Amino acid sequence: MINISLPDKSIRQVEVGTTAMDIAKSISEGLARNVLSAKFNDSVIDAFRPLTEDGSLQLLTWKDDEGKATMWHSSAHLMAEAVQQLYPEAKFGIGPNIENGFYYDIDFGDKTITQDDLTKIEKKMKELASQKQIFVRTEVPKVEALKTFKDKGDEYKVELIEGLQDGEISFYQCGDFTDLCRGPHIPSTSHIKAIKLLSIAGAYWRGDEKRKQLTRIYGITFPKKKELDAYLVLLEEAKKRDHRKIGKELELFTFSQRVGQGLPLWLPKGAMLRERLENYLKQVQKDAGYEPVITPHIGAKELYVTSGHYAKYGEDSFRPITTPNEGEEFLLKPMNCPHHCEIYRTKPHSYKELPIRYAEFGTVYRYEQSGELHGLTRVRGFTQDDAHIFCRPDQVKEEFKAVIKIVLQIFTALDFKNFITQISIRDPKTPEKYIGTDENWEKAENAIIEVAEESGLDYIVEEGEAAFYGPKMDFMVRDAIGRKWQLGTIQVDYNLPERFELEYIGKDNKKHRPVMIHRAPFGSMERFVAVLIEHTAGKFPLWLTPEQVRILPISEKYHEYAEKVLLLLKNYEIRAEIDYRSEKTGRKIRDAEIQRVPYMIIVGEKEETSGKVSVRRQGEGDKGSMSTDNLIKMITEEVQNAL
RNA sequence: GCUAUUGUAGCUCAGGGGUAGAGCACUUCCUUGGUAAGGAAGAGGUCAUGAGUUCAAAUCUCAUCAAUAGCUCCA
């Protein structure tokens, strides 16, 4: 007998060889019907895998991320089975599940796959799924595994198997399709009720551009048709929120071929919005004891040789700028920290002065590969809301905490309610990849984790994701339609203080090395504005939006009154415009709605004689009439409450 | 950077070896109106750039540039 503990802390004594499915059935038939896989001592296994030792068991269903993953992984197999039946010549690469669905890389030989083929494959998949095929696991010796796929002529699988250890190779069979696979899989294809193949793309075998390009088919499946429909609606919604589209519509930013790839041009409305964001953060930082500094856009090449970045990135960067003088070279700055280090070095520092916090909206230039550029989220010139904190080792924790506070304050002000943090620490297996003493690393890593705990953050720890110079914490927000975006980052750095020989005089009258904390709550203004656009679908919070109020006179007769109202609003620094066009009110409203102007003020005879205004809220409709005083009060309160 | 697709008016897009099209936006005129498109007229394009094929190229071919998607990358 073995002891299996369940998430409710109960312990069941069962016979060796009992499966997760058996346990599910003993709880309820309904649960058993929904079980996709199970988590046994931290590894996800088939629901039909016999349990042979004590351990903790969690049954996974569609509600669990791992359950979804199992389902999508199995769906990839189902797709491969369909492909094999329709195109017997096809050879298979890899077919994993991904965040939303799955893909399979397939070599179709000379055949090009089109949208029509996807429909065909989809149909076949539905047919096969309804056959309620079960997934059968077999463990296979390496020799035999190699033989199977050599006989089949599938060189990709052969290559994959060659990289595996004997004894860890398993096959899964589903219908007449057998695949090399670690598993786990769902109990049967009957769980797959709704299928959509989404797109086709080329992908190099093993991500290597020198090797053959395979056809990658992306798809997603659901246990209910309704969920698929909802997902497709979501995809449409995402398309509508694309910041490149909205940025154009609202005249926020543009790109020009003549200026160059990946170099955004901020239009007046976008620049105003960005400026408000910057001013907001400047105020927050001022309150938190940051000091502004300003540094130039270029720096001598030596500066980056000293920082170590030239060795690491120099080859893949913009070429150095030369001068008429022999041997003189400058680089466009790819980051602000070396400049800030030099500012720190201008005079000796006492331990009493620390922490010193230098903040700068510093524009940096990085030569991203052309294929990587994407709207405002990936550009070659961007402005970081950067700051560097120079502190004593004993202050790291406290400073880190203070930075987190700023980040949270900003997220709240901008209505990012859902976010998680990722703490990236060293990979203990490869200590040679990191610089600095073990002691410092341990201290910093522990400090970050403690701070995360104390700040009540929802965090995950990723081993091996740390920068070579120190551990970091990244903030990932979920936007209004559930997509994840990485925004702010806080990094602890022992490297640059060393390289720049930064010092402070301690209480003991000896020289000590400060610790640097790099931090950027927005990350970059470009990326942040892009995310903000997609999060809000262009309906920015009132305090940020370029045009807060549009005054719509019913006819020319009321232009004068409109101007009177405009003047009143301007006195309170409310950003308002008048629509002077000789259009009907319905038209003016429609245009203001499309341009996402939060408040529309309609003024006509009624308003002029009563000295009031009619208010309409974007997306909500008519709000009735009120006095201008009340309007101003309403708007200023809305702005103040947001910050 | 690699592969594929695309590039026609400010925007969204149709067309296609023989004088360039629509809707919206824009300008002017009419209209002076009450909560998501009033009417008419007009103006606007070397069809991304360069070369080639052809009697003739926006259209076909090649190259370049850019955009889009995926891959690889991201201090």
Side-chain angles (χ1 to χ4, degrees):
Chain A
M1 298 294 267
I2 49 174
N3 293 313
I4 304 296
S5 70
L6 296 172
D8 65 358
K9 308 273 192 248
S10 69
I11 291 178
R12 295 196 174 216
Q13 249 196 4
V14 296
E15 294 197 20
V16 173
T18 300
T19 66
M21 186 56 89
D22 294 332
I23 294 174
K25 274 186 186 146
S26 76
I27 296 171
S28 88
E29 273 300 323
L31 178 61
R33 266 200 305 277
N34 286 321
V35 166
L36 296 174
S37 56
K39 197 171 186 176
F40 187 67
N41 292 341
D42 289 333
S43 53
V44 183
I45 58 165
D46 298 322
F48 284 123
R49 189 89 175 262
L51 304 174
T52 55
E53 54 185 322
D54 290 356
S56 63
L57 182 78
Q58 186 195 349
L59 298 167
L60 299 171
T61 67
W62 183 249
K63 290 193 189 90
D64 304 291
D65 286 346
E66 291 111 325
K68 284 192 179 77
T70 310
M71 165 105 152
W72 286 332
H73 184 189
S74 299
S75 301
H77 278 241
L78 181 67
M79 181 170 83
E81 186 186 349
V83 168
Q84 195 182 47
Q85 290 196 7
L86 293 168
Y87 312 93
E89 299 303 304
K91 294 178 206 168
F92 298 89
I94 55 164
N97 56 285
I98 51 177
E99 199 184 343
N100 291 303
F102 59 90
Y103 68 78
Y104 217 120
D105 284 346
I106 303 166
D107 183 353
F108 283 94
D110 296 331
K111 161 122 183 96
T112 6
I113 295 297
T114 63
Q115 197 58 45
D116 289 347
D117 293 300
L118 289 193
T119 317
K120 247 164 62 190
I121 298 168
E122 216 175 277
K123 216 176 127 206
K124 191 78 185 169
M125 284 174 74
K126 281 177 196 153
E127 185 191 316
L128 295 172
S130 64
Q131 292 171 6
K132 302 190 179 181
Q133 298 177 351
I134 53 164
F135 287 86
V136 182
R137 177 192 172 92
T138 42
E139 285 178 20
V140 191
K142 188 164 176 175
V143 204
E144 201 180 303
L146 281 171
K147 187 172 178 306
T148 307
F149 283 101
K150 271 184 185 153
D151 290 350
K152 210 177 150 198
D154 207 329
E155 67 256 33
Y156 305 105
K157 294 293 179 189
V158 169
E159 189 180 325
L160 290 172
I161 294 166
E162 273 164 354
L164 295 173
Q165 299 289 319
D166 201 2
E168 62 176 21
I169 297 168
S170 56
F171 284 179
Y172 275 83
Q173 190 185 355
C174 171
D176 61 2
F177 179 74
T178 304
D179 202 356
L180 167 73
C181 183
R182 198 184 304 127
H185 282 285
I186 55 178
S188 107
T189 57
S190 63
H191 288 274
I192 303 172
K193 291 278 193 327
I195 302 169
K196 181 77 190 170
L197 297 186
L198 297 162
S199 62
I200 325 169
Y204 298 99
W205 172 233
R206 305 209 128 176
D208 184 344
E209 70 191 45
K210 290 184 195 71
R211 306 195 63 176
K212 179 149 187 189
Q213 195 170 43
L214 308 180
T215 304
R216 174 171 296 181
I217 302 178
Y218 286 91
I220 193 163
T221 55
F222 293 91
K224 284 191 188 127
K225 171 126 190 346
K226 236 164 87 185
E227 290 188 53
L228 171 62
D229 293 342
Y231 180 73
L232 294 176
V233 168
L234 189 80
L235 286 187
E236 281 305 307
E237 181 61 26
K239 231 187 250 172
K240 277 191 227 152
R241 286 167 177 257
D242 191 319
H243 74 278
R244 293 167 299 181
K245 182 171 170 281
I246 293 177
K248 199 180 262 177
E249 284 168 6
L250 299 186
E251 298 177 7
L252 300 175
F253 61 90
T254 189
F255 290 89
S256 153
Q257 245 186 74
R258 308 174 90 146
V259 172
Q261 255 189 312
L263 300 170
L265 303 173
W266 291 80
L267 304 175
K269 285 177 187 163
M272 282 195 315
L273 184 137
R274 171 174 155 176
E275 195 174 61
R276 270 188 285 284
L277 272 175
E278 289 182 1
N279 288 343
Y280 165 68
L281 184 54
K282 274 179 189 163
Q283 189 56 51
V284 169
Q285 289 181 166
K286 201 172 149 198
D287 296 344
Y290 287 73
E291 299 171 285
V293 293
I294 297 172
T295 65
H297 287 231
I298 64 172
K301 184 177 144 186
E302 276 308 304
L303 185 67
Y304 302 99
V305 172
T306 304
S307 73
H309 291 105
Y310 189 77
K312 205 165 154 77
Y313 296 101
E315 287 305 307
D316 302 316
S317 289
F318 283 111
R319 304 326 304 147
I321 300 162
T322 52
T323 70
N325 296 332
E326 189 71 28
E328 199 173 43
E329 289 183 310
F330 294 87
L331 292 180
L332 278 167
K333 73 174 169 190
M335 77 277 296
N336 305 299
C337 20
H339 287 80
H340 292 184
C341 286
E342 285 306 302
I343 291 177
Y344 180 88
R345 281 166 57 88
T346 48
K347 62 172 188 182
H349 296 283
S350 151
Y351 73 97
K352 292 180 201 160
E353 282 175 65
L354 302 183
I356 288 171
R357 310 179 188 90
Y358 294 143
E360 174 177 20
F361 284 86
T363 304
V364 297
Y365 301 88
R366 296 178 184 177
Y367 186 80
E368 305 290 357
Q369 293 184 33
S370 61
E372 292 319 312
L373 303 171
H374 180 92
L376 281 186
T377 57
R378 197 75 187 272
V379 287
R380 285 180 173 164
F382 57 95
T383 303
Q384 295 177 313
D385 54 328
D386 211 358
H388 294 98
I389 300 167
F390 301 86
C391 65
R392 304 189 305 260
D394 64 286
Q395 292 171 317
V396 170
K397 194 172 154 185
E398 196 183 327
E399 283 305 301
F400 213 94
K401 214 175 201 168
V403 175
I404 289 174
K405 206 178 138 212
I406 290 179
V407 174
L408 298 190
Q409 189 180 346
I410 288 165
F411 283 3
T412 307
L414 290 155
D415 199 34
F416 286 107
K417 293 191 181 78
N418 278 319
F419 60 89
I420 54 157
T421 57
Q422 176 180 313
I423 297 174
S424 301
I425 60 173
R426 283 172 304 178
D427 180 351
K429 279 172 271 177
T430 53
E432 70 281 357
K433 272 169 55 186
Y434 308 95
I435 63 136
T437 64
D438 273 353
E439 197 200 337
N440 274 339
W441 268 90
E442 210 155 295
K443 249 197 237 161
E445 288 173 353
N446 291 339
I448 295 179
I449 292 171
E450 278 166 35
V451 166
E453 285 288 345
E454 286 164 27
S455 309
L457 292 177
D458 183 6
Y459 69 92
I460 50 168
V461 176
E462 286 290 330
E463 260 181 20
E465 290 293 305
F468 69 96
Y469 50 74
K472 62 175 181 171
M473 177 185 270
D474 294 316
F475 289 81
M476 257 91 75
V477 298
R478 264 193 200 281
D479 71 12
I481 57 171
R483 294 168 301 170
K484 262 198 272 180
W485 302 85
Q486 195 193 314
L487 290 177
T489 179
I490 316 174
Q491 310 183 354
V492 179
D493 184 358
Y494 297 101
N495 176 43
L496 283 186
E498 194 76 36
R499 284 177 169 271
F500 280 90
E501 299 177 316
L502 304 183
E503 291 167 344
Y504 67 90
I505 310 296
K507 217 171 188 169
D508 55 5
N509 200 27
K510 287 194 181 117
K511 288 178 178 170
H512 296 270
R513 194 122 285 167
V515 181
M516 249 173 110
I517 296 173
H518 307 243
R519 41 110 282 169
F522 290 147
S524 89
M525 299 312 292
E526 284 72 9
R527 189 178 165 76
F528 189 81
V529 168
V531 175
L532 191 63
I533 290 171
E534 305 221 357
H535 179 53
T536 61
K539 295 172 195 165
F540 301 111
L542 192 62
W543 66 277
L544 267 180
T545 202
E547 185 180 346
Q548 295 170 311
V549 176
R550 186 170 297 174
I551 302 169
L552 314 177
I554 296 283
S555 82
E556 267 170 29
K557 282 181 259 170
Y558 313 106
H559 281 183
E560 211 174 305
Y561 182 60
E563 278 161 12
K564 233 172 94 185
V565 175
L566 179 74
L567 208 64
L568 268 170
L569 296 178
K570 295 237 159 169
N571 282 342
Y572 288 88
E573 302 202 332
I574 293 166
R575 301 183 289 279
E577 307 280 343
I578 297 173
D579 188 343
Y580 283 111
R581 294 176 306 166
S582 69
E583 292 291 349
K584 291 193 167 181
T585 312
R587 177 53 179 277
K588 294 182 183 179
I589 287 170
R590 182 183 145 84
D591 289 344
E593 286 277 350
I594 288 171
Q595 286 160 42
R596 300 163 175 89
V597 180
Y599 284 104
M600 285 151 267
I601 302 302
I602 292 136
V603 292
E605 191 182 354
K606 263 192 290 179
E607 289 73 17
E608 182 160 23
T609 44
S610 64
K612 290 184 166 184
V613 289
S614 277
V615 178
R616 186 190 163 97
R617 180 83 211 216
Q618 200 268 351
E620 292 173 23
D622 197 356
K623 293 281 169 190
S625 73
M626 61 177 74
S627 67
T628 47
D629 284 353
N630 278 342
L631 173 70
I632 288 163
K633 197 168 153 237
M634 187 166 81
I635 291 174
T636 43
E637 271 175 14
E638 188 178 334
V639 168
Q640 275 157 15
N641 289 342
L643 300 179

